[in-house]
Amino acid sequence: MQTYRWQLDLQMFNQEKTEKATPKKRQETRQKGQVAKTVELPGALILLFAFLSFFLLGGFYKERLLHLFGDLLQDWLTMELSAGNVMSLAYQVMMEVGLMLAPIFAIAVVVAIVANLIQFGFLLSGEPLKMKLNKLNPINGLKQIFSVRSLVEFVKSVLKLIVIGLLVFWTISSEWKRMLSLSFLSVEEIFGFAASLTLRLGLQIGAVLFVLAVLDYLYQRYEYEKSIRMSKQDIKDEFKKTEGNPLIKGRIREQQRKMALRRMMQEIPKADVVITNPTHFAVALRYDASEMEAPVVVAKGMDYVALRIKEIAKEHGVVTMENKPLARALYDRTDIGDMIPGDLFQAVAEVLAYVYKIKGRVKSS
């Protein structure tokens, strides 16, 4: 017995987080800025698309470079500098450099935004910007430095260096003979070879970094899902907060049922007749030709409730009639406040006619 209690206590206090996070937990962590993402993906895509832009916009870059250095070598080196034209010259140089770099900056901004949208969608949260004193705790800092995540980041950085180093070595070694013969080529050919080799290396490195970034994103997503896991007790506590304590809700429903039953019992004295099974079902009907198109069910019940309906009807002089099929049909097919179904009009009319006859009343048309 003591062993069983010990196991039960252990289950209560050692709540393993084995369950997937609920939508509410995911929304809360998202509002805090905690999402599955990797910083490697935007960087890899920016590098890849920046070098792709050199292929697509090669003519534009060539024109801007020739214009910049042409003005510099032909006009600016021979012009007389003065206090008036120095600022104009600096402004002109900045404009030329800005026009040349504008496409790269635009690509970097657009690609960075799209890469983050792909990972976690649109998200604005000020929670990560809030100052938290626990971040200044040196013990927590040491734990982060020597954590598994830090080890993974270190291995990832070393892996990138190794892969990029091997890629650069393989590319340069394949062009080594041509590089040795560059001294026999013209300046234009040397420049073309260097530009071609640089573009090829940039695209290859960007593609490799993109693949590594995708793998890192999958790992970060796995770690994120693992970090937001919940224990069964967490799910129960969340359910209590969102849906309310089941015990309290049960008590509320019980009180509502009692109040509805009390209101129903108060309507029985106004009924014209109570149709019974005779022991299992009881249905109380009321009809006022000046207010209603058809008789209305004011109360119904089975077993104990049916017995209570008949007792109240007897106390207030409401006629009780036994009609097993009609009582069962009314109980199954109507709710309190409903008019009787059309196919039961004839049967109910006969019952009401008999009741009015007993009471010595004449039914108004």
Side-chain angles (χ1 to χ4, degrees):
M1 186 66 179
Q2 291 180 349
T3 303
Y4 173 76
R5 289 181 177 177
W6 180 80
Q7 292 177 347
L8 184 62
D9 293 340
L10 184 62
Q11 292 176 358
M12 290 294 293
F13 290 101
N14 186 21
Q15 292 291 339
E16 294 184 0
K17 298 184 182 296
T18 57
E19 307 300 317
K20 290 185 177 180
T22 60
K24 184 175 183 298
K25 176 67 176 293
R26 292 179 183 277
Q27 184 64 26
E28 289 177 350
T29 55
R30 182 178 175 83
Q31 290 175 353
K32 294 178 181 178
Q34 300 174 8
V35 291
K37 64 177 180 179
T38 174
V39 296
E40 306 293 337
L41 187 59
L45 288 176
I46 289 172
L47 179 64
L48 184 61
F49 279 92
F51 276 95
L52 280 174
S53 70
F54 293 145
F55 277 110
L56 300 176
L57 303 175
F60 171 80
Y61 290 123
K62 179 180 178 181
E63 181 182 350
R64 303 317 306 177
L65 280 172
L66 290 176
H67 190 271
L68 175 63
F69 287 101
D71 290 344
L72 178 63
L73 297 176
Q74 292 180 7
D75 301 327
W76 299 341
L77 291 180
T78 59
M79 68 183 299
E80 294 183 3
L81 295 178
S82 63
N85 62 12
V86 168
M87 293 303 297
S88 176
L89 176 61
Y91 175 77
Q92 189 173 353
V93 172
M94 290 175 60
M95 286 297 296
E96 290 291 339
V97 174
L99 287 174
M100 188 169 57
L101 297 179
I104 298 177
F105 289 152
I107 290 172
V109 172
V110 173
V111 170
I113 294 174
V114 172
N116 284 301
L117 288 176
I118 292 173
Q119 292 186 82
F120 52 83
F122 182 77
L123 176 63
L124 287 177
S125 175
E127 190 69 23
L129 302 177
K130 293 182 179 179
M131 183 177 180
K132 297 179 181 179
L133 297 178
N134 57 355
K135 292 183 178 181
L136 303 177
N137 191 336
I139 298 177
N140 292 336
L142 290 174
K143 288 181 179 179
Q144 292 179 358
I145 293 174
F146 297 101
S147 63
V148 177
R149 180 178 291 273
S150 299
L151 179 62
V152 171
E153 293 295 326
F154 174 74
V155 172
K156 186 172 61 177
S157 300
V158 172
L159 179 63
K160 285 195 298 183
L161 288 175
I162 293 174
V163 172
I164 293 174
L166 291 175
L167 184 62
V168 172
F169 174 78
W170 178 77
T171 303
I172 293 179
S173 62
S174 64
E175 298 288 344
W176 186 251
K177 291 183 179 180
R178 190 176 179 185
M179 292 175 65
L180 293 177
S181 63
L182 289 178
S183 59
F184 301 101
L185 301 178
S186 63
V187 175
E188 184 178 357
E189 291 176 333
I190 294 174
F191 181 79
F193 171 77
S196 175
L197 184 63
T198 302
L199 287 176
R200 191 170 69 176
L201 271 175
L203 289 175
Q204 290 175 349
I205 293 173
V208 169
L209 290 180
F210 174 72
V211 174
L212 294 177
V214 171
L215 296 176
D216 184 57
Y217 173 71
L218 296 177
Y219 171 75
Q220 296 296 340
R221 191 170 185 84
Y222 166 77
E223 285 292 319
Y224 171 74
E225 292 292 335
K226 184 179 178 181
S227 66
I228 64 173
R229 284 179 186 172
M230 304 173 67
S231 65
K232 294 182 178 179
Q233 186 62 41
D234 293 335
I235 296 177
K236 290 180 180 179
D237 294 340
E238 181 184 291
F239 177 78
K240 289 180 180 179
K241 291 179 180 179
T242 56
E243 301 295 333
N245 192 313
L247 294 177
I248 297 177
K249 291 186 68 177
R251 291 174 185 173
I252 293 174
R253 284 195 296 266
E254 180 65 20
Q255 291 296 326
Q256 291 174 342
R257 189 186 68 82
K258 288 181 178 180
M259 292 174 62
L261 183 62
R262 192 177 300 115
R263 287 194 299 269
M264 184 183 73
M265 294 301 180
Q266 292 173 354
E267 295 294 323
I268 295 174
K270 303 176 185 179
D272 293 308
V273 64
V274 175
I275 303 174
T276 65
N277 191 12
T279 55
H280 295 293
F281 300 98
V283 180
L285 301 177
R286 177 173 176 265
Y287 179 59
D288 188 342
S290 62
E291 300 177 358
M292 306 173 184
E293 297 179 0
V296 175
V297 177
V298 296
K300 73 172 190 175
M302 63 183 296
D303 297 333
Y304 171 77
V305 178
L307 179 62
R308 184 61 184 154
I309 290 174
K310 289 187 288 185
E311 289 176 353
I312 296 176
K314 184 177 181 180
E315 293 173 0
H316 293 83
V318 179
V319 178
T320 301
M321 289 191 61
E322 179 182 338
N323 189 325
K324 295 182 180 179
L326 182 58
R328 183 58 184 264
L330 289 171
Y331 183 86
D332 291 338
R333 298 172 57 187
T334 61
D335 289 323
I336 297 172
D338 290 350
M339 291 189 297
I340 63 172
D343 58 332
L344 299 180
F345 279 0
Q346 182 63 34
V348 173
E350 293 176 359
V351 171
L352 289 176
Y354 178 75
V355 171
Y356 295 147
K357 184 179 180 180
I358 293 176
K359 292 183 176 182
R361 295 167 52 186
V362 179
K363 180 182 175 184
S364 59
S365 57

